[in-house]
């Protein structure tokens, strides 16, 4: 099993920065091959923000490319989402998701709230 815990959310003014952290633990944490950050704005569906793969490759949604950076350490047991130039439309609950090999089990964290004021 894998447990994911996010932290680092909060209230920030537009143009500011925040860094989110996702910590993975559990007996299967060393099988995580992909870590992803999703977000769910109020009244909207959850959307993919950024991913990091075991080989170090990263992917970003168009809406955050150039402003957010995903990184990981400790064999992806700790993953960060550095968010800069934040906009009010970045306001959402941010979730961490881990995908494990070989059966691609999915694990979700409980989410952390990010609020960007205008």
């Amino acid at each position: 099993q894998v447990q994911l815990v996010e932290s680092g959310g909060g209230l920030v003014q537009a143009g500011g920065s925040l860094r989110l952290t996702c910590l993975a633990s559990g007996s299967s944490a060393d099988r995580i091959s992909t870590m992803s950050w999703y977000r769910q704005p109020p009244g909207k569906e959850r959307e993919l923000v950024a991913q990091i793969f075991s080989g170090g490759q990263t992917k970003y949604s168009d809406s955050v490319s150039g402003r957010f950076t995903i990184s990981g350490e400790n064999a992806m047991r700790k993953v960060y989402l550095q968010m800069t130039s934040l906009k009010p439309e970045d306001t959402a609950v941010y979730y961490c998701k881990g995908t494990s090999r070989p059966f691609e089990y999915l694990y979700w964290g409980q989410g952390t709230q990010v609020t960007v004021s205008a």
Side-chain angles (χ1 to χ4, degrees):
Q1 291 299 316
V2 175
Q3 293 79 45
L4 301 178
V5 178
E6 304 97 333
S7 62
L11 174 64
V12 64
Q13 288 187 331
S17 300
L18 279 175
R19 188 177 79 162
L20 306 182
T21 300
C22 177
L23 290 177
S25 62
S27 59
S28 300
D30 59 348
R31 297 182 183 179
I32 293 176
S33 58
T34 304
M35 290 284 267
S36 307
W37 285 99
Y38 284 74
R39 68 186 181 186
Q40 187 164 15
K44 296 184 179 180
E45 294 186 353
R46 195 171 296 188
E47 62 181 6
L48 178 62
V49 174
Q51 292 181 296
I52 184 166
F53 303 92
S54 57
Q57 306 94 319
T58 58
K59 290 179 65 176
Y60 300 91
S61 68
D62 290 343
S63 61
V64 307
S65 182
R67 299 188 298 123
F68 291 10
T69 303
I70 188 170
S71 60
E73 62 182 51
N74 193 15
M76 294 213 291
R77 293 191 184 200
K78 184 181 286 188
V79 174
Y80 305 101
L81 185 68
Q82 178 68 49
M83 307 185 294
T84 63
S85 301
L86 283 162
K87 306 174 182 180
E89 51 263 44
D90 294 318
T91 294
V93 178
Y94 283 72
Y95 297 90
C96 178
K97 186 186 85 173
T99 305
S100 68
R101 56 181 180 268
F103 302 113
E104 297 193 345
Y105 293 140
L106 304 180
Y107 303 94
W108 289 91
Q110 82 289 349
T112 186
Q113 176 70 46
V114 172
T115 302
V116 184
S117 62

